[in-house]
Amino acid sequence: MEAFRIYRQLLANRPLTKLLVGEFISGIGDWLYIVAIFVVIYRETNDAAAVGAFGAVRMIPYILLSVPAGLAADRFDRRLVLLSSDIVRGSVMVVMTILVATNAPVLLIVAFAMVAAGGSTFFYPAIGAYIPSLATDERQLGPANSAWASLGNLSFIVGPAIGGLLIALGDVVLAFVLNAATFIVIGLILWSLPPSRSRRSNAAATETAEAAGAVASSDPASGTTAAPATTAPIVAPPAAKIPVAPISGLALIQVVVGFLDGGIQALTIILAVTVLHAGEDANGYLNAAIGVGGLAGAIVSGVLVLRRRLAGPMVIGAVLTGAGVAALGGIPVLSVALLAIGLSSAGSIVLDVVLTTVFQRLVPDELRGRALGLLMTLNTVSGASGAFILPVVVVTFGAGVALGGAGLAVIVATVVGTILMGPATSRPASPFESTLLRVAKLPLFAGVRGSRLEAALDHVRAMDVQPGQTIVRQGEPADRFYIIVNGEFTVSQATDAGTEVDLRTLGADEVFGELGLLNRTARTATVTASAPGTLLEMAGEDFLELVGASGDLRGRLLGLYVGPGSVRSG
């Protein structure tokens, strides 16, 4: 029930939803382009080595520009960084469409492809830092990351499928045209979204505004300036810092998983032909299984990241990844390999979503862009290393030993990284979760199903009260149920003689207002705050839905304070 509630709130977050949908469309275009550009290079050169060389060379901008891209994401409006990146890439796609259509030299096409890769380099740190600023609270971070991963993996399935269809129809140029069109779509969406600056920029703007206000407070008639409200020196807030041990643990896991992912991408053709003996066609099947497994992992991660403590989901992702890779190398049967590589992909995505969520909690907003840029550089280098080293190890020592060792390395690195991250893998309870934990512990609600209690508390409202404030008044209609968080409340009742009699005092974790709702009668007493306090206020219809027509909870409520003088405050 809590999961549905959070995802409903995520869908109601229009800016975040628009961004994710726009990037899904753009992701389909990106995969169209990737499929098409490799086909173009192979057609023009008829050389597999040239295709491999391009695959390696196109990573150079990510290595060289990721850190500057992160700095740009922290320095400028991240929405505009994204928009600029899309304008550059969209313009390049238009040029490449013309070049491909006119059979231009392949080196010229590759040069513009490198420019497009440079634009993509600035995209990833900016969007990674921008998404948290669109989330309404920390509970939306995990679901937003899961949704982004799900849509990304879905585009990985849809984009190449469309690209393959276009190539089969002999119209590779149209793939470039469609990719350019997707940049127009995401550009329009980005233009409609709110701006985003790092908190340091916001703080600087606030300080500037305060300084301007101080100047404006001067009296031009007298030539004097109004004295400040305080003579205390203005002290700049401490510079934001990244916790070293937790971020080191996170980076360790990212690097090891990146090495494995890069290696697997390069290994699929080797596994298909030399290990599985299933022919070149099996390479396509293995890549399709990677996409399906990744989508499944992204969906599963959407449930796992709702937990406050993410150490468990992190280890689950590592075990799935490691076990899948070990089975892939140890059992050379195509059907098993498809299941194993899909399982490994699912675990890798779970790890990625969980680590992204922890990263967003760990790193201050004003440092998030450059930290992402640094991690991108490490991931790119580790992925390229994996693509180069892991196939060599497989050929030298065999798939069972190589992939079994790689799977074990992922599990060990995750355990060590989780220990280094420590409490950083958990987030504080949200106000709703704190309320739920508090109410669930009350003896009154013992035995009530958690999902039923969550549904009722979904609309609960905290209410601060002051001494002398009347909460319910005798004779008025009953429309609310109250749980006392703290404070002191006096229950009184008017007598037939016209006097007011105090019946009792209520304190923390006691309730009132239930009898009038249960019996559908007017209030039988008046409740007044004797001291400052806080109440949890529940609408009458939500309370009645929680209680139901019969059952233990209704009986406990009706039986409260049964005995002489036990008039309830209903």
Side-chain angles (χ1 to χ4, degrees), residues 257-530:
V257 173
F259 179 91
L260 177 62
D261 287 345
I264 293 295
Q265 288 176 11
L267 266 177
T268 53
I269 184 63
I270 297 173
L271 291 170
V273 176
T274 64
V275 177
L276 300 174
H277 305 289
E280 293 181 352
D281 291 348
N283 182 39
Y285 303 147
L286 289 170
N287 277 284
I290 289 173
V292 173
L295 180 59
I299 293 171
V300 169
S301 69
V303 177
L304 295 177
V305 292
L306 294 176
R307 302 183 178 189
R308 287 178 52 218
R309 297 175 176 86
L310 294 180
M314 205 177 299
V315 173
I316 290 172
V319 170
L320 289 176
T321 303
V325 169
L328 179 64
I331 308 175
V333 178
L334 180 59
S335 58
V336 175
L338 293 174
L339 180 61
I341 203 167
L343 187 68
S344 172
S345 177
S348 179
I349 292 297
V350 168
L351 262 176
D352 182 61
V353 171
V354 172
L355 288 172
T356 300
T357 303
V358 173
F359 171 87
Q360 290 166 344
R361 295 176 185 171
L362 269 177
V363 180
D365 181 73
E366 57 266 39
L367 301 177
R368 194 170 288 146
R370 69 199 80 176
L372 275 170
L374 181 59
L375 282 180
M376 272 186 60
T377 302
L378 292 174
N379 282 348
T380 304
V381 172
S382 66
S385 301
F388 177 75
I389 295 172
L390 199 55
V392 175
V393 176
V394 167
V395 171
T396 304
F397 297 100
V401 173
L403 295 183
L408 180 62
V410 169
I411 295 173
V412 171
T414 302
V415 171
V416 173
T418 303
I419 293 171
L420 287 173
M421 283 186 269
T425 59
S426 301
R427 64 168 171 81
S430 68
F432 178 85
E433 290 166 333
S434 299
T435 298
L436 181 62
L437 290 171
R438 182 187 186 92
V439 172
K441 291 178 181 178
L442 298 181
L444 178 66
F445 296 106
V448 178
R449 290 198 312 271
S451 59
R452 190 174 171 187
L453 199 56
E454 283 182 23
L457 293 178
D458 193 20
H459 303 291
V460 77
R461 184 177 73 91
M463 175 183 175
D464 293 326
V465 298
Q466 300 301 321
Q469 183 177 338
T470 299
I471 313 303
V472 302
R473 192 179 300 278
Q474 183 177 346
E476 290 183 347
D479 60 352
R480 294 284 189 275
F481 170 70
Y482 298 92
I483 302 170
I484 301 173
V485 176
N486 54 59
E488 192 174 275
F489 298 82
T490 300
V491 182
S492 61
Q493 192 174 59
T495 65
D496 294 337
T499 59
E500 192 87 9
V501 178
D502 291 343
L503 301 177
R504 65 183 160 275
T505 299
L506 301 177
D509 295 340
E510 293 189 274
V511 302
F512 61 89
E514 74 288 346
L515 278 187
L517 292 168
L518 290 171
N519 297 327
R520 302 186 185 278
T521 60
R523 299 295 191 189
T524 58
T526 297
V527 179
T528 306
S530 310

